[in-house]
Amino acid sequence: MPDGASVVVTSASRGPWDLRGWGRVVDQTFFPPICPACRARVCEVGEDLCGGCAADLVEVSGLRCSGCGDPNDTILARCGECLAGPRRPWDHAVTAFAYGGLVRRLLQRFKYDGATCLAPLFGRRMAEAWAQHGLPDVAAIVPVPMPALREFRRGYNQAALLATVIGRRLDLPVRNILRRRHRVRRQATLDRQGRQRNVRDVFAVKRNAKRLDSPILVVDDILTTGATLEAAVKALRAAMPASVSILTLARG
């Protein structure tokens, strides 16, 4: 063989005793992929859900409103609901799912029942939605922080888990530069005005955080009235990012 020549090892040249192929067979036979939604076996290679759950998990389709991420019902950049209300403090929004049905049940499990196994599924779908409908020049991802005591009791921050998966998918760094200044009541128990008052000035940029300069993407699990995300984005503006966009799993 000439000096410096390389050897290309093909499946035929590995011989009958190559263990890698057998390892895959054993893995798929005794440890088949399981649907994180219903725990049934996933039969289709490369899929992350079983056929039934995949049919029920309907993603938002069509053009998106830049204000809320929902399907756009106007010829402008924002939908009718966003045009009728005050302008959002962010520059662009994308959401993956409408909040209801299977999405609602899975999100409840993810947030309150410790079902962190859903993070890869949710994060991948959010990353795909952003790649299709988001802006191309985002430089970093910022998750919305939880109250410290609530995160301690739960054991994780669902927004941070989603941000980690999305960051890996989009090859973007995750920067935990937001902090909560004080405790607040649960948003789910309040009306729209109460939610806005509840989170007013609750977020701040950490003292050791560097100036951002570049466009950033804020990640959270759900956008309902938008009060929490609005408060987070307004606080982030102090770090002087070039622009701020948001990405959520669902639109309530």
Side-chain angles (χ1 to χ4, degrees), residues 124-179:
R124 183 177 75 82
R125 298 300 180 90
M126 292 171 72
E128 290 173 353
W130 181 259
Q132 184 174 0
H133 301 283
L135 304 177
D137 58 350
V138 172
I141 297 174
V142 178
V144 174
M146 285 178 61
L149 181 58
R150 194 177 303 166
E151 182 176 352
F152 175 77
R153 288 173 175 170
R154 187 174 298 176
Y156 58 93
N157 173 10
Q158 67 273 2
L161 293 181
L162 294 173
T164 299
V165 176
I166 296 166
R168 290 172 180 167
R169 287 277 175 177
L170 300 180
D171 194 24
L172 292 172
V174 177
R175 300 189 60 183
N176 293 286
I177 62 172
L178 274 180
R179 64 180 179 88

Side-chain angles (χ1 to χ4, degrees), residues 53-125:
C53 291
D56 291 338
L57 200 67
V58 181
E59 300 180 27
V60 175
S61 61
L63 296 177
R64 311 298 178 93
C65 167
S66 64
C68 65
D70 258 356
N72 197 345
D73 55 3
T74 76
I75 61 173
L76 303 176
R78 292 183 291 163
C79 68
E81 181 181 346
C82 288
L83 287 172
R87 189 170 183 85
R88 307 282 195 178
W90 48 77
D91 301 285
H92 192 69
V94 172
T95 193
F97 301 99
Y99 186 62
L102 181 61
V103 172
R104 182 179 183 277
R105 296 196 298 273
L106 293 182
L107 185 51
Q108 293 291 314
R109 283 179 50 200
F110 180 49
K111 292 179 67 171
Y112 305 118
D113 295 337
T116 55
C117 61
L118 292 167
L121 165 67
F122 286 158
R124 183 177 75 82
R125 298 300 180 90

